[in-house]
Amino acid sequence: VQLTCSVIAGQANGARGSNSSDLSGPTYLYLDSNNQLYIADSENQRVQLWRTGGTSGQTIAGVTSRFKEEDQ
C-alpha cells in the first residue's frame, strides 16, 4: 500500500511562524461543508481560515500579529 500525503496548511518543513502562510501551535481543526478548513492557531492567538487550494490563511478571529495587541 502506497500512501500519498499533502500539506494543506502551514509549512511543509513544520517551521513555526506568524505570517498568513504559517501556523504556530495548531490546536483544533474544523472542515466545513465547502471544504474550507478552520484552524485554531493557539500560539498566534487566532483562528485561521484556509480556503480550498489556498496558499495562505486568513485571520478571521483573534490577533493578526503576535506583537500588536490593538489588532484584537
Side-chain angles (χ1 to χ4, degrees):
V1 175
Q2 185 175 2
L3 181 64
T4 303
C5 297
S6 298
V7 174
I8 57 171
Q11 298 297 320
N13 64 2
R16 295 172 177 238
S18 59
N19 293 325
S20 62
S21 61
D22 300 330
L23 298 169
S24 186
T27 309
Y28 297 101
L29 306 173
Y30 175 76
L31 186 65
D32 71 12
S33 61
N34 295 314
N35 290 324
Q36 298 182 126
L37 182 63
Y38 297 81
I39 303 172
D41 187 16
S42 62
E43 291 182 21
N44 285 320
Q45 302 174 354
R46 65 187 181 186
V47 175
Q48 289 282 92
L49 167 61
W50 287 71
R51 299 189 194 304
T52 302
T55 58
S56 65
Q58 174 186 1
T59 299
I60 60 168
V63 180
T64 58
S65 169
R66 297 174 114 179
F67 306 104
K68 294 170 60 179
E69 289 294 318
E70 69 271 10
D71 288 342
Q72 294 187 44

